[in-house]
């Protein structure tokens, strides 16, 4: 099993590198960063960059703060943290407690991780997926974008079933085989699936914060009504007495008017 | 020239799919991100650009000036009730605009159009169109409610 875990790590690394080469995402990312630097109105110090990186880890990475949809954010948090706890506890159990019957808190964490992953994943699968929610596609219609979520769900589901049927003879082994097949699919299909987003999304979030800090702001307008000077503009006359929080606009409703 | 999506910015929330009047913003089956399925049918109405909460959608400039480094970008801040435009000209000059989208909180002042009095017979018999200055009372130099103008619009119009 230890060799299997090492093989999966290698597959993820290779898949991510191949994906990066194929999409040229790293090249695009650095070109974009250079372009942003040209439009910068102020330079950002090393300390500030470190602070921005910490803020990115604190908000976008740990708490999935980039999602504007709170339901989606909650589902993502269950899925993401479930996956991390499940993978880490699997590795600890395989490498640290392979020959020991008592493994402390790790088996409990393994189960909690699998349950959290399954809960967040099924919630996303049935109710939140954008093609189902916004385009009226049926939940059972599979597309290539489902490779990641389906293999995640299969992995967590068969892991739980395997755990429940351990000692039940052949059935337990069937679920174990299916669990391994799902896990292998998940880690071996990084090149074709959305797996790599967990690496490039934090980088993109950091870059976004950096552009805000250096004034380039991705070329977006930076005027806001929060600025007292802007409130005095002639064009803002009709908003003088309006509340600063006007409500959510189109985001009051879910985007499902297909 | 059509809209396009910055894939690293898009999180596949579906607001552009929902709002596109041409129904050409769709969800990609490989990445589950939005994309323009029919660029040559795009009106560049900017609906999706404004609706995107991550500013992940942009519009290509016309071919005659895009290579010269122009940019037109918009930020619709609904919570503040404003829309801001930043226009960068070819020679590097910049113009920034900030305007109200609405002066009342969203969804709080939905006109009960079904209760508005119908046009009277003289309005029906008139050759004037429904939105002529006389009927929207521009000649009096002010904005008016539908009720005051005695007009009836289609139900379900929000502002």
């Amino acid at each position: 099993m230890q060799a299997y875990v090492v093989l999966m790590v290698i597959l993820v690394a290779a898949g991510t590198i191949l994906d990066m080469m194929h999409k040229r995402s790293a090249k695009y990312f650095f070109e974009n960063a250079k372009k942003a630097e040209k439009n910068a109105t102020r330079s950002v110090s090393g300390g500030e960059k470190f602070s921005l990186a910490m803020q990115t880890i604190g908000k976008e990475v740990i708490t999935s703060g980039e999602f504007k949809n709170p339901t989606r954010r909650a589902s993502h948090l269950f899925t993401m943290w479930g996956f991390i706890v499940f993978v880490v506890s699997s590795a600890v159990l395989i490498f640290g407690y392979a020959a020991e019957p008592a493994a402390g808190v790790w088996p409990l964490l393994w189960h909690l991780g699998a349950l959290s992953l399954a809960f967040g994943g099924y919630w996303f699968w049935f109710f939140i997926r954008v093609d189902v929610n916004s385009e009226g596609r049926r939940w059972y219609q599979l597309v290539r974008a489902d490779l990641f979520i389906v293999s995640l769900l299969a992995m967590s589901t068969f892991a739980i079933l395997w755990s429940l049927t351990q000692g039940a003879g052949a059935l337990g082994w069937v679920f174990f085989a299916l669990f391994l097949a799902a896990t292998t699919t998940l880690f071996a299909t990084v090149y074709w699936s959305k797996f790599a987003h967990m690496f490039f999304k934090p980088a993109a979030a950091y870059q976004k914060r950096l552009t805000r800090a250096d004034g380039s702001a991705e070329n977006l307008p930076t005027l806001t009504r929060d600025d007292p000077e802007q409130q005095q503009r002639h064009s803002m006359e009709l908003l003088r007495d309006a509340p600063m929080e006007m409500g959510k606009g189109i985001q009051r409703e879910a985007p499902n008017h297909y | 020239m059509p809209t396009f999506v910055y894939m690293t910015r898009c999180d596949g929330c579906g607001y552009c799919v929902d709002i596109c009047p041409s129904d050409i913003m769709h969800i990609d089956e490989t990445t589950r991100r939005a994309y323009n399925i029919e660029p040559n049918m795009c009106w560049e109405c900017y609906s999706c650009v404004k609706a995107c909460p991550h500013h992940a959608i942009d519009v290509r400039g016309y071919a005659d000036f895009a290579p010269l480094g122009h940019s037109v970008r918009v930020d619709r801040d609904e919570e503040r009730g404003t829309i801001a435009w930043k226009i960068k000209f070819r020679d590097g000059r910049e113009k920034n605009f900030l305007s109200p989208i609405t002066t009342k909180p969203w969804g709080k002042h939905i006109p009960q159009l079904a209760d508005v009095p119908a046009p009277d017979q003289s309005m029906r018999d008139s050759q004037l169109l429904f939105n002529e200055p006389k009927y929207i009372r521009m000649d009096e130099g002010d904005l008016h409610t539908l009720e005051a103008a005695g007009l009836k619009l289609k139900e379900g119009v929000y502002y």
Side-chain angles (χ1 to χ4, degrees), chain A residues 1 4 8 86 110 122 147 149-163 165 169-187:
Chain A
M1 280 313 286
Y4 175 79
M8 292 302 109
F86 179 75
W110 187 88
Y122 281 114
L147 183 60
I149 183 69
V150 169
S151 51
L152 266 179
L153 286 174
M155 181 180 77
S156 58
T157 306
F158 291 130
I160 295 163
L161 289 171
W162 169 56
S163 168
T165 55
L171 189 62
W173 286 107
V174 168
F175 284 133
F176 180 66
L178 288 168
F179 166 49
L180 277 188
T183 307
T184 309
T185 305
L186 174 68
F187 291 117

Side-chain angles (χ1 to χ4, degrees), chain A residues 68 225-226 239 242-252, chain B residues 76-82 101-102 104-106:
Chain A
K68 297 288 180 188
R225 216 179 127 211
D226 299 304
L239 282 174
M244 281 308 272
E245 291 295 331
M246 300 285 276
K248 278 204 166 286
I250 62 164
Q251 289 181 34
R252 280 173 302 160
Chain B
R76 180 179 156 98
D77 186 347
E78 290 177 311
E79 288 181 14
R80 291 282 178 273
T82 58
I101 308 172
T102 175
K104 295 170 181 173
W106 297 102

Side-chain angles (χ1 to χ4, degrees), chain A residues 72 146 218 226 235 246, chain B residues 9 11 32 79-80 98:
Chain A
R72 216 168 152 207
D146 297 319
E218 298 168 272
D226 299 304
S235 64
M246 300 285 276
Chain B
R9 293 273 176 269
D11 76 350
R32 193 163 282 130
E79 288 181 14
R80 291 282 178 273
L98 184 69

Side-chain angles (χ1 to χ4, degrees), chain B:
Chain B
M1 300 291 270
T3 58
F4 66 97
V5 180
Y6 296 113
M7 286 285 167
T8 49
R9 293 273 176 269
C10 175
D11 76 350
C13 68
Y15 276 104
C16 58
V17 177
D18 209 38
I19 209 161
C20 177
S22 305
D23 192 25
I24 57 174
M25 292 305 290
H26 279 256
I27 299 298
D28 180 74
E29 296 189 351
T30 307
T31 57
R32 193 163 282 130
R33 297 283 177 260
Y35 77 116
N36 187 328
I37 60 162
E38 199 69 67
N40 56 347
M41 296 303 288
C42 177
W43 304 347
E44 296 155 40
C45 69
Y46 274 83
S47 295
C48 62
V49 180
K50 293 172 187 174
C52 178
H54 292 295
H55 305 108
I57 312 178
D58 209 345
V59 178
R60 291 174 211 279
Y62 288 102
D64 57 348
F65 61 85
L68 296 170
H70 97 298
S71 88
V72 178
R73 297 214 71 186
V74 60
D75 176 24
R76 180 179 156 98
D77 186 347
E78 290 177 311
E79 288 181 14
R80 291 282 178 273
T82 58
I83 187 152
W85 293 87
K86 180 179 180 180
I87 299 171
K88 217 180 222 179
F89 290 95
R90 311 172 197 187
D91 60 2
R93 278 180 304 152
E94 239 182 61
K95 284 207 178 287
N96 285 281
F97 302 94
L98 184 69
S99 314
I101 308 172
T102 175
T103 56
K104 295 170 181 173
W106 297 102
K108 298 279 185 223
H109 298 271
I110 298 166
Q112 302 302 312
L113 297 173
D115 305 333
V116 173
D120 60 27
Q121 197 54 43
S122 68
M123 285 169 80
R124 290 184 189 279
D125 295 342
S126 164
Q127 290 293 311
L128 292 176
L129 294 174
F130 162 81
N131 55 354
E132 294 276 357
K134 181 187 172 188
Y135 291 143
I136 56 174
R137 297 170 70 171
M138 282 175 68
D139 46 338
E140 294 171 34
D142 204 348
L143 295 169
H144 294 271
T145 60
L146 290 165
E147 206 167 353
L151 295 171
K152 183 176 173 143
L153 293 177
K154 187 181 158 193
E155 281 185 53
V157 176
Y158 286 54
Y159 56 56

Side-chain angles (χ1 to χ4, degrees), chain A residues 70-72 74-75 78 118-129:
Chain A
T71 313
R72 216 168 152 207
S75 148
F78 276 110
F119 173 72
Y122 281 114
W123 186 8
F124 172 77
W125 178 259
F126 288 113
F127 304 107
I128 303 174
R129 267 186 312 150

Side-chain angles (χ1 to χ4, degrees), chain A residues 227-240:
Chain A
D227 181 353
E229 196 186 326
Q230 298 304 328
Q231 290 165 21
Q232 299 311 308
R233 283 171 80 112
H234 171 67
S235 64
M236 287 286 99
E237 197 178 359
L238 291 169
L239 282 174
R240 289 276 150 80

Side-chain angles (χ1 to χ4, degrees), chain A residues 4-258:
Chain A
Y4 175 79
V5 171
V6 172
L7 177 66
M8 292 302 109
V9 171
I10 292 167
L11 283 174
V12 169
T16 306
I17 291 163
L18 284 172
D19 187 51
M20 228 160 53
M21 284 162 65
H22 164 67
K23 289 182 187 155
R24 297 190 186 140
S25 45
K27 184 170 175 271
Y28 165 79
F29 181 79
F30 289 114
E31 276 177 6
N32 212 32
K34 267 187 201 165
K35 211 192 301 178
E37 257 176 50
K38 270 187 208 166
N39 294 326
T41 54
R42 59 181 286 265
S43 62
V44 182
S45 67
E48 209 175 340
K49 280 181 182 173
F50 178 75
S51 161
L52 290 171
M54 289 299 108
Q55 285 171 35
T56 307
I57 290 167
K59 193 182 175 201
E60 281 84 359
V61 179
I62 291 177
T63 62
S64 305
E66 219 178 356
F67 283 110
K68 297 288 180 188
N69 177 343
T71 313
R72 216 168 152 207
R73 184 180 178 183
S75 148
H76 191 266
L77 283 169
F78 276 110
T79 311
M80 180 181 78
W81 284 109
F83 175 75
I84 290 168
V85 170
F86 179 75
V87 167
V88 169
S89 54
S90 297
V92 169
L93 286 168
I94 289 166
F95 284 97
Y97 297 95
E100 295 175 43
V105 75
W106 292 106
L108 175 67
L109 287 175
W110 187 88
H111 284 91
L112 287 175
L115 286 168
S116 171
L117 175 54
F119 173 72
Y122 281 114
W123 186 8
F124 172 77
W125 178 259
F126 288 113
F127 304 107
I128 303 174
R129 267 186 312 150
V130 66
D131 32 6
V132 172
N133 199 28
S134 296
E135 294 200 314
R137 193 185 286 273
R138 298 275 170 219
W139 64 264
Y140 48 78
Q141 283 178 284
L142 292 175
V143 291
R144 205 180 98 182
D146 297 319
L147 183 60
F148 180 61
I149 183 69
V150 169
S151 51
L152 266 179
L153 286 174
M155 181 180 77
S156 58
T157 306
F158 291 130
I160 295 163
L161 289 171
W162 169 56
S163 168
L164 291 173
T165 55
Q166 269 183 354
L171 189 62
W173 286 107
V174 168
F175 284 133
F176 180 66
L178 288 168
F179 166 49
L180 277 188
T183 307
T184 309
T185 305
L186 174 68
F187 291 117
T189 56
V190 173
Y191 180 74
W192 298 276
S193 80
K194 278 185 56 193
F195 195 107
H197 82 282
M198 63 179 75
F199 306 114
F200 77 74
K201 270 287 183 185
Y206 170 72
Q207 183 58 27
K208 193 174 177 180
R209 278 183 183 272
L210 193 61
T211 60
R212 281 190 200 145
D214 69 14
S216 57
E218 298 168 272
N219 244 344
L220 284 161
T222 48
L223 299 187
T224 67
R225 216 179 127 211
D226 299 304
D227 181 353
E229 196 186 326
Q230 298 304 328
Q231 290 165 21
Q232 299 311 308
R233 283 171 80 112
H234 171 67
S235 64
M236 287 286 99
E237 197 178 359
L238 291 169
L239 282 174
R240 289 276 150 80
D241 303 319
M244 281 308 272
E245 291 295 331
M246 300 285 276
K248 278 204 166 286
I250 62 164
Q251 289 181 34
R252 280 173 302 160
E253 295 175 49
N256 56 7
H257 306 101
Y258 47 81

